[in-house]
Amino acid sequence: MINLIYGIAGTFVLGVFAILFGLSVKGIDRKISARMQWRIGPPLRQPFRDVRKLLLKDNVLPDNAVPWIYNAAPIICLASLITILLFIPIGSIPAVLGSSGDIIVVLYLLIVPSIAIIVGGFSSGSPFASVGAQREMVLLISYELPLSMIIFTFAWAYSVLYPGIPALSFSTFEKYPIWNQFSPIGMFGVGIFLIIALLVTTAEMAKIPFDIPEAETEIAEGVFVEYSGRNFALFYLADAVKIVVLSAIIIAIFFPYNLSPWLSAYITLPHWLWYVVDVLFFMLKVVVLSIIAVTFLRTALARLKVDQIVRIYWFHLFIAGVAAMILIALDTMGVL
Amino acid sequence: MCAKLTKALDKSLWVFHVNSGSCNGCDIEILAALTPRYDAERFGVHLVGTPRHADVLLVTGPVTRDMEEKLKRIYEMTPDPKVVIAVGTCGVSGGVFHESYNLVGPIDRVIPVDIYVPGCPPRPEAIIDAVVKAWLKLERLRGEGGEQ
């Protein structure tokens, strides 16, 4: 019973936190993008204004859409993203559902938002949305391979280095940070994986240069072409929450560091305040990662073609991933 | 139309650009208004790719016979509340083409226009000013909503 109440309250608090924080990150993203182009840019609260406006606009249902799928897709998309956050530790707060799932669950749940977008696109009955949904599928197929390579290499390394521990659990990553396990050669491999993870984040966010599913200049916003009003606001929120979720995954795998163990030697603070400090540090990490993975790339580059994106993920990043895998494997087995 | 609704729209106007038979002069000026030099995004103005997301329709040029039905459809596709801005002299009055045989006429003969931006082509400042002042129409709607 206590667990149930904790779960419900945790979901609610995390959902509100993720939405508000995600929208703020979006505001920061737009501001920095504007600054990179020597513009003034919109105020930081612009995404909040956009959502408020979208929520109050007409919610149009196209004649040839499948109503229940069309309306359910945005809700599934947002809900699944908040569900992922329940499995990831935030700062020094352990994951709400940490005991009932590990990275494998997160990997599978990460597909659900994309599937929701694909299904929503197909159900809106517009040729542009169909093309966008097909492109989203291509993107999904492209980035899944490098992403799973990262996680399974690390899990394998943990299972060799520390036999008997749950190698796929986030708590293992937190207890034994990945950078401390290897000599410089293995760390180089981890660095390659970090770059791959950041590029996967860009594609998962469907931002330039990987924004083929919603390319507004060729296929008129693609999958979202028919969405308006409340439904589109939910997709907008899902997009904001997504960057928090993806950054949280990268943080949990690559940077599971907290400030409290370092600072508590110098400063004494009440117990609960350390949680706040760690959550603030977590938020800082999310902002930095989102700027690197989304803002810089989307402002500096142009959109790639569909085949170029598949080639990048399946060829270039796959080769880089195999190289990193070999480096880490050699290091783990003590060959070097 | 409740007051809350129009107030939310003031500072977040998403623009859809329709060319209903313009010579491209006004379109180039609209693009200029979106460039970093004029930075329309600082007012929350954002160019969208589909009328379903739009609050403002920027229509350029006189309406040709071919575009008449399409323009009406785009207008109907845009969710309420919406503002239509006619950009350029051709859209306002027909301009130098007003006698042409393949024109239906100025934009307000096909769909209701709220704001007129004359000029051949109008300066980007004038276009940004028109979009930002679209809230004047919304304010009027808010007044009407207050009476209900």
Side-chain angles (χ1 to χ4, degrees):
Chain A
M1 191 64 197
I2 296 286
N3 273 340
L4 189 69
I5 292 169
Y6 178 64
I8 292 170
T11 312
F12 183 75
V13 171
L14 262 182
V16 172
F17 165 77
I19 286 172
L20 295 181
F21 180 48
L23 287 175
S24 315
V25 172
K26 223 178 158 76
I28 295 169
D29 163 67
R30 284 175 72 172
K31 192 79 185 171
I32 289 179
S33 174
R35 283 301 188 186
M36 281 177 74
Q37 298 174 333
W38 290 56
R39 292 189 283 130
I40 296 168
L44 287 180
R45 63 178 185 281
Q46 188 63 41
F48 293 91
R49 285 173 173 169
D50 288 350
V51 170
R52 197 173 57 148
K53 178 206 74 182
L54 283 171
L55 282 174
L56 292 162
K57 282 204 63 140
D58 250 9
N59 195 8
V60 182
L61 181 70
D63 279 343
N64 47 355
V66 189
W68 68 273
I69 305 178
Y70 180 81
N71 288 321
I75 299 170
I76 296 170
C77 187
L78 184 58
S80 58
L81 281 164
I82 292 173
T83 314
I84 299 173
L85 220 49
L86 297 180
F87 292 98
I88 307 171
I90 308 280
S92 53
I93 304 169
V96 177
L97 293 178
S99 52
S100 38
D102 51 19
I103 298 183
I104 297 285
V105 178
V106 172
L107 259 191
Y108 277 100
L109 278 176
L110 215 49
I111 303 173
V112 178
S114 303
I115 299 282
I117 289 174
I118 291 167
V119 169
F122 277 131
S123 69
S124 44
S126 154
F128 288 123
S130 293
V131 173
Q134 282 159 14
R135 288 180 176 200
E136 175 82 33
M137 265 195 285
V138 170
L139 202 58
L140 181 68
I141 295 165
S142 306
Y143 64 66
E144 276 305 311
L145 178 66
L147 182 65
S148 26
M149 263 169 89
I150 300 171
I151 285 161
F152 289 112
T153 309
F154 287 170
W156 174 81
Y158 277 128
S159 66
V160 171
L161 291 168
Y162 305 99
I165 57 155
L168 278 165
S169 155
F170 280 118
S171 60
T172 310
F173 282 82
E174 202 171 348
K175 212 153 140 200
Y176 311 104
I178 194 81
W179 301 93
N180 305 356
Q181 309 307 319
F182 306 115
S183 65
I185 291 165
M187 274 166 82
F188 185 65
V190 179
I192 295 175
F193 272 146
L194 175 61
I195 293 168
I196 295 176
L198 288 173
L199 283 174
V200 167
T201 307
T202 319
E204 195 121 14
M205 290 294 294
K207 287 283 149 71
I208 295 170
F210 307 117
D211 69 333
I212 44 165
E214 46 198 271
E216 75 271 6
T217 39
E218 333 160 17
I219 50 169
E221 314 269 354
V223 274
F224 304 127
V225 66
E226 292 292 343
Y227 279 98
S228 63
R230 181 177 53 82
N231 281 339
F232 187 59
L234 286 173
F235 272 131
Y236 193 97
L237 291 178
D239 185 58
V241 173
K242 213 179 212 178
I243 186 64
V244 178
V245 171
L246 296 171
S247 306
I249 293 171
I250 293 188
I251 288 167
I253 293 174
F254 289 96
F255 308 107
Y257 305 103
N258 287 316
L259 274 182
S260 50
W262 304 56
L263 281 181
S264 52
Y266 307 104
I267 319 167
T268 42
L269 285 176
H271 187 60
W272 59 271
L273 211 56
W274 283 120
Y275 286 118
V276 178
V277 170
D278 285 340
V279 168
L280 287 176
F281 187 55
F282 168 83
M283 287 160 78
L284 179 73
K285 287 189 278 191
V286 170
V287 170
V288 171
L289 281 178
S290 75
I291 289 170
I292 295 169
V294 174
T295 314
F296 284 176
L297 289 180
R298 109 184 150 87
T299 315
L301 299 173
R303 183 180 309 127
L304 294 169
K305 288 189 284 185
V306 183
D307 60 318
Q308 288 172 326
I309 289 175
V310 177
R311 198 173 305 129
I312 282 183
Y313 283 97
W314 277 21
F315 188 70
H316 299 115
L317 289 189
F318 178 72
I319 302 254
V322 168
M325 221 175 195
I326 292 169
L327 288 176
I328 290 174
L330 291 177
D331 202 334
T332 311
M333 294 187 296
V335 178
L336 295 168
Chain B
M1 195 80 59
C2 61
K4 218 165 77 180
L5 200 161
T6 50
K7 204 166 171 226
L9 268 159
D10 287 355
K11 298 240 166 106
S12 163
L13 291 167
W14 289 6
V15 175
F16 183 71
H17 170 204
V18 192
N19 182 336
S20 65
S22 151
C23 69
N24 252 328
C26 300
D27 307 86
I28 290 170
E29 296 304 313
I30 287 173
L31 288 183
L34 295 163
T35 53
R37 185 180 173 85
Y38 293 98
D39 187 21
E41 202 192 356
R42 68 185 191 272
F43 304 114
V45 177
H46 173 60
L47 189 75
V48 293
T50 158
R52 287 269 194 247
H53 299 178
D55 310 303
V56 177
L57 287 180
L58 277 184
V59 191
T60 57
V63 183
T64 57
R65 291 196 191 284
D66 196 35
M67 280 301 285
E68 188 190 4
E69 281 309 308
K70 287 158 192 154
L71 187 60
K72 279 183 191 159
R73 253 183 85 187
I74 289 172
Y75 180 77
E76 278 154 19
M77 277 172 83
T78 313
D80 285 321
K82 57 196 161 197
V83 178
V84 178
I85 301 178
V87 178
T89 303
C90 297
V92 174
S93 66
V96 288
F97 307 111
H98 71 283
E99 285 177 328
S100 177
Y101 54 87
N102 50 12
L103 286 189
V104 179
I107 294 159
D108 54 8
R109 204 167 292 173
V110 182
I111 54 172
V113 175
D114 302 295
I115 296 162
Y116 298 90
V117 188
C120 185
R123 304 258 323 152
E125 290 96 329
I127 298 170
I128 295 176
D129 190 47
V131 174
V132 175
K133 284 205 175 131
W135 61 264
L136 280 177
K137 185 222 172 170
L138 298 166
E139 199 129 84
R140 208 181 64 231
L141 289 172
R142 192 185 302 166
E144 285 166 11
E147 287 160 19
Q148 284 172 1

